[in-house]
Amino acid sequence: MSAVEVNFDGLVGPTHNYAGLSEGNLASERNRDMISRPRAAALQGLAKMRMLMALGLPQGVLPPQERPNISWLRAFDFTGPDEAVWESAWRDAPRLARVAASASSMWAANAATISPSADCDDGRLHMTPANLITMLHRAQEADTTARALRCVFPDAARFAHHEPLMAQDCFADEGAANHMRLSATPGAPGVEIFVYGRASDDPPRAGFPGRQTLEACQAIARRHRLDPQRTVFIRQSADAIDAGAFHNDVVAVAHERTLFFHEQAFADKAAALADIRAKAAGLFEPNFIEVSASSVSLADAVSSYLFNSQLVRAPGGDGLTLIAPSETRENNRVGAYVAELVTCVGAIKRVSYVEVRESMRNGGGPACLRLRVELTDTELAAVPPGFLLDEARVSALERWVKTHYREELAPGDLSDPFLIQETRAALDELTRILPLGGAFYSFQRG
Ligand code: SUG
């Protein structure tokens, strides 16, 4: 059956800021308390979507979540009118207030794990919103993500929506950022590759946290009804995690038959590649593009975000295009590596650099900002068209950003109680640009 990969990008929310909330994410830690530029951040995200649209690729969008998250703060017994909740949280628990202001749902690669229907034995597309329990600020995303996905994929006969995994350490799950898929062509059955940072019975270790567990990966593979003969579980290398690869998509990316990865991405590379090759047997021959540490060190891979690129095939074009962050080019060693890569005979024929600097300063590159969903023609027809971008809708979103988003947000600006009404006005209007209905956000439900 013919199918197409649709990237659904997370819209950057109006409270985009640098709070230094993510241990093990070097950019987030380094840029803590910098002044952010929410308007530029959201426009950079939309410009990236435009770039993919210009290549002839379908592009979808996911809404930002409601922040400041006043109802989340109420769970910690901040009481009174919304403005009073916000003020007392800043006074008594500023760290919680910053968590409640985080716009982290923009990184849609962490929204969910998606298995296309070609891989699932009931012929439906399966999705599991990520519980994101490792980082407090991200753990507040799962419920709203689940609701957003139900709006975008409403047809239960075609789309199987699962609950996020149990919010327990054993099932820590960060979604598609640790999930890859190889297949001969879109629509063909593939090999699903789950990458985990730790197993629940690992001995304690020093170093940065592994955010994805083996148990979470296995549970998702079972509930998505994947064929064990076509499913691979790979342990991420501790070296990669400790170098700042807090998700696998910082050191590897896959598309169609191609796996583009860093030599030190996986704990046991030889076993991982052999397993992928064995499980692809009879379907396709995988194409491994391994980047040696002598060409690009792990430190350069993490700082340049080379692998946090999108690998795409433009319709009618030959070969794959790497949509890489401009930071990749700015790193002389990595930029030179890419320039050579695209001139050798290989699957990746060209590179396009994209500027998503505001997101990058929080550790989110082009690939973090999108959730990939491979849809058959009939599944695509079941997506409300309002979630797919055309010129009119992307222009409407740009106008919306320019109307509602602040140019700058300094940490001290976040405590402004006026921010609550300001962001709600923006989100309320958004529900008339995207087909979210009039009660998507909790403030709209009263
Ligand atoms: O979870 N940064 C995000 C970046 C997510 C990137 N996603 C992928 N690699 N797929 C994170 O660490 C920083 C927020 C702050 O510090 O204000 C943050 O959440």
Side-chain angles (χ1 to χ4, degrees):
M1 189 167 316
S2 85
V4 64
E5 177 183 286
V6 184
N7 286 288
F8 285 84
D9 277 46
L11 267 177
V12 176
T15 61
H16 158 66
N17 74 99
Y18 301 112
L21 296 172
S22 282
E23 186 199 354
N25 171 343
L26 303 181
S28 154
E29 293 182 17
R30 188 176 313 119
N31 295 314
R32 176 193 307 255
D33 287 341
M34 253 182 54
I35 293 173
S36 66
R37 300 194 304 135
R39 182 182 301 187
L43 293 176
Q44 286 169 2
L46 285 162
K48 172 168 94 73
M49 298 181 223
R50 272 189 183 280
M51 178 190 257
L52 286 247
M53 290 162 69
L55 290 176
L57 297 165
Q59 179 66 52
V61 70
L62 294 172
Q65 300 198 0
E66 183 181 339
R67 301 287 183 271
N69 193 349
I70 300 294
S71 43
W72 183 80
L73 285 170
R74 287 187 188 282
F76 311 113
D77 294 281
F78 294 105
T79 55
D82 291 344
E83 283 71 16
V85 167
W86 193 228
E87 277 169 344
S88 46
W90 276 99
R91 190 184 56 237
D92 299 344
R95 180 87 180 155
L96 284 187
R98 293 216 68 172
V99 164
S102 175
S104 56
S105 70
M106 70 171 86
W107 298 298
N110 304 116
T113 303
I114 311 273
S115 297
S117 49
D119 296 347
C120 305
D121 87 347
D122 63 352
R124 292 192 296 166
L125 181 152
H126 284 247
M127 60 189 92
T128 297
N131 60 27
L132 288 167
I133 59 162
T134 305
M135 298 290 154
L136 183 61
H137 65 295
R138 303 224 55 184
Q140 58 187 321
E141 294 172 34
D143 292 348
T144 307
T145 298
R147 273 189 310 108
L149 291 174
R150 283 177 195 275
C151 293
V152 180
F153 305 103
D155 182 353
R158 300 186 196 285
F159 305 119
H161 291 270
H162 299 277
E163 292 296 311
L165 293 175
M166 185 183 288
Q168 287 288 327
D169 191 59
C170 172
F171 296 107
D173 173 26
E174 302 262 329
N178 297 311
H179 177 245
M180 303 183 288
R181 180 174 183 273
L182 297 173
S183 70
T185 53
V191 173
E192 296 209 10
I193 303 168
F194 292 82
V195 183
Y196 59 96
R198 65 187 166 90
S200 67
D201 58 358
D202 281 355
R205 64 179 280 275
F208 290 142
R211 294 203 204 174
Q212 182 84 31
T213 66
L214 171 62
E215 289 80 357
C217 297
Q218 291 170 327
I220 292 170
R222 276 191 298 274
R223 57 162 54 173
H224 288 196
R225 306 176 65 151
L226 302 180
D227 179 351
Q229 295 313 312
R230 302 282 186 218
T231 307
V232 174
F233 300 98
I234 300 177
R235 185 187 279 271
Q236 198 184 0
S237 81
D239 288 347
I241 296 173
D242 291 342
F246 53 96
H247 291 132
N248 172 65
D249 67 7
V250 176
V251 280
V253 58
H255 188 69
E256 296 178 358
R257 294 187 307 107
T258 298
L259 175 60
F260 179 54
F261 65 103
H262 191 272
E263 178 185 3
Q264 290 163 290
F266 310 126
D268 184 344
K269 181 189 69 183
L273 300 186
D275 199 11
I276 294 170
R277 197 172 270 120
K279 287 181 169 153
L283 291 181
F284 58 91
E285 182 65 35
N287 172 34
F288 296 130
I289 305 181
E290 176 177 341
V291 181
S292 67
S294 58
S295 306
V296 174
S297 67
L298 258 186
D300 276 346
V302 171
S303 66
S304 72
Y305 259 38
L306 165 63
F307 297 94
N308 202 260
S309 300
Q310 294 178 239
L311 258 186
V312 298
R313 181 183 295 278
D318 67 323
L320 302 178
T321 300
L322 191 73
I323 310 288
S326 44
E327 285 77 355
T328 294
R329 182 177 45 196
E330 286 159 16
N331 179 314
N332 290 340
R333 290 177 297 275
V334 187
Y337 169 81
V338 174
E340 198 183 314
L341 173 76
V342 296
T343 52
C344 336
V345 185
I348 304 177
K349 298 271 188 253
R350 63 195 70 77
V351 58
S352 289
Y353 287 105
V354 63
E355 155 100 43
V356 285
R357 207 171 292 278
E358 284 289 311
S359 168
M360 283 287 287
R361 290 192 174 127
N362 255 335
C368 299
L369 287 161
R370 60 95 166 94
L371 179 66
R372 290 199 274 192
V373 188
E374 187 176 295
L375 296 162
T376 64
D377 299 343
T378 47
E379 288 162 352
L380 182 58
V383 172
F387 290 112
L388 299 168
L389 295 186
D390 55 15
E391 177 56 38
R393 200 159 288 111
V394 74
S395 299
L397 288 169
E398 284 163 348
R399 277 195 302 278
W400 169 76
V401 168
K402 287 176 187 160
T403 307
H404 291 281
Y405 280 48
R406 292 196 191 188
E407 206 88 61
E408 289 190 347
L409 265 181
D413 300 332
L414 287 164
S415 57
D416 178 356
F418 191 69
L419 196 66
I420 301 172
Q421 291 317 323
E422 193 178 301
T423 53
R424 287 179 182 175
L427 298 179
D428 191 48
E429 191 187 331
L430 182 66
T431 59
R432 291 185 289 280
I433 302 174
L434 302 179
L436 291 162
F440 180 74
Y441 292 109
S442 66
F443 69 85
Q444 295 176 308
R445 299 193 289 273

